Amino acid sequence: MSSAFSTHEVKVLKRSTDAENVKPIPDDKIYEVYEIDKCMEWIASKNAKNVALQFPDNMLCDAAKVALCVEEKLGRKVYILGDTTYG
């Protein structure tokens, strides 16, 4: 099945990531790099009750830290999508 909103499954399964060159963002830069305050404004503008974050493969190493920052500001659980076929 082909769609303008997804990558063909064969391409996804054959794709490799360059995990050796992935470096987590330092804790003191997470808010700036991931624009947490801007994200919070967007979440508030949508009056979102459930929040899930999706990251491309090369940013998954920061996913838990980012989710915890958003949870702290939001005051409720934030979920991370484990779908690494992003893109």
Side-chain angles (χ1 to χ4, degrees), residues 2-66:
S2 180
S3 171
F5 298 105
S6 65
T7 303
H8 191 275
E9 62 269 12
V10 173
K11 288 182 182 179
V12 170
L13 292 171
K14 290 183 177 184
R15 182 173 53 205
S16 65
T17 61
D18 193 6
E20 292 178 9
N21 294 325
V22 173
K23 305 241 185 304
I25 300 297
D27 290 350
D28 62 332
K29 300 286 185 191
I30 287 286
Y31 270 81
E32 177 185 343
V33 171
Y34 286 97
E35 299 180 330
I36 304 266
D37 291 329
K38 186 176 178 181
C39 292
M40 295 307 301
E41 289 174 18
W42 186 88
I43 292 166
S45 76
K46 303 296 182 190
N47 198 25
K49 303 296 181 218
N50 297 305
V51 176
L53 305 175
Q54 183 177 17
F55 295 82
D57 291 342
N58 66 327
M59 293 179 170
L60 282 174
C61 58
D62 295 325
K65 286 193 278 186
V66 174

